Amino acid sequence: MTVVTVNQSIQAINNSIDAILNVSESLSEETIRWNPTNEEWSILQIISHLNEAVPYWLNEIDRVLAEPGAQWGRGLQDAARLAAVANPNELNISEQFAEFKELKQKVADGLGSLSEENLKAENPHRNFEKFGNKPISFMIEHFLEEHVEKHYSQVQRNLSKLD
């Protein structure tokens, strides 16, 4: 992954954020809070999750760059991850959307200054058997770029299930 590709990743992440905003900002509160099933998140939960997850991964990249060889990653049962979606009735839609819009600048700030050397730096995942040693570029592609894009697809899937 080169610096050009970093810029492309920033743009792709921001495009997915914009796409989520474009399809969801004008929806009713009822639709934003609606869960298609008990196992699926509402659009508001998706946004709250991304508001927690994107900064987590940006911080994780900073941390492993500062601590070469440090383990990275977290499990699905991570307390902060679960808390972001645990009480959707307590989430303020306006605040969540405002925070979500700020992610674009956080992504640009967090990734924009990474060098080619930074992108190649490898660290072991906490679940080494699953991921092994991976470079920072993998973290960007998988846990930021693809992650936000998949949640845009989830928003679209939610909307397709409306009556």
Side-chain angles (χ1 to χ4, degrees):
M1 177 182 273
T2 63
V3 173
V4 171
T5 306
V6 168
N7 290 335
Q8 290 170 337
S9 289
I10 292 168
Q11 189 61 52
I13 295 162
N14 288 342
N15 286 346
S16 292
I17 290 169
D18 283 338
I20 291 169
L21 288 168
N22 287 338
V23 299
S24 59
E25 270 192 307
S26 63
L27 297 172
S28 70
E29 179 174 345
E30 179 183 4
T31 300
I32 291 169
R33 291 185 181 278
W34 176 72
N35 292 80
T37 68
N38 289 335
E39 292 78 37
E40 294 176 279
W41 290 342
S42 67
I43 292 170
L44 184 57
Q45 286 173 296
I46 294 166
I47 290 170
S48 180
H49 165 70
L50 289 171
N51 284 340
E52 186 278 327
V54 170
Y56 171 83
W57 287 106
L58 292 171
N59 289 333
E60 196 71 343
I61 289 167
D62 286 344
R63 187 182 65 75
V64 297
L65 284 171
E67 302 171 28
Q71 289 186 342
W72 59 272
R74 64 180 177 179
L76 294 176
Q77 299 305 313
D78 179 78
R81 180 186 178 280
L82 294 174
V85 298
N87 299 304
N89 292 333
E90 295 176 17
L91 295 174
N92 179 292
I93 292 173
S94 297
E95 290 172 4
Q96 290 297 315
F97 274 89
E99 187 176 339
F100 191 61
K101 290 175 186 176
E102 292 173 6
L103 287 182
K104 291 172 59 175
Q105 189 60 52
K106 288 180 182 180
V107 168
D109 292 345
L111 301 181
S113 64
L114 295 178
S115 69
E116 184 80 25
E117 185 176 317
N118 293 147
L119 297 172
K120 293 177 184 176
E122 290 192 2
N123 288 281
H125 187 270
R126 62 186 280 281
N127 181 356
F128 191 80
E129 295 77 28
K130 181 175 180 179
F131 287 105
N133 282 323
K134 292 293 183 191
I136 298 295
S137 60
F138 173 84
M139 294 170 70
I140 294 168
E141 291 167 5
H142 187 72
F143 293 101
L144 287 169
E145 189 173 345
E146 291 174 12
H147 187 187
V148 179
E149 183 180 349
K150 286 179 182 178
H151 282 299
Y152 170 59
S153 297
Q154 186 180 9
V155 168
Q156 291 180 309
R157 192 170 53 248
N158 280 16
L159 294 173
S160 74
K161 294 179 179 183
L162 284 171
D163 291 336

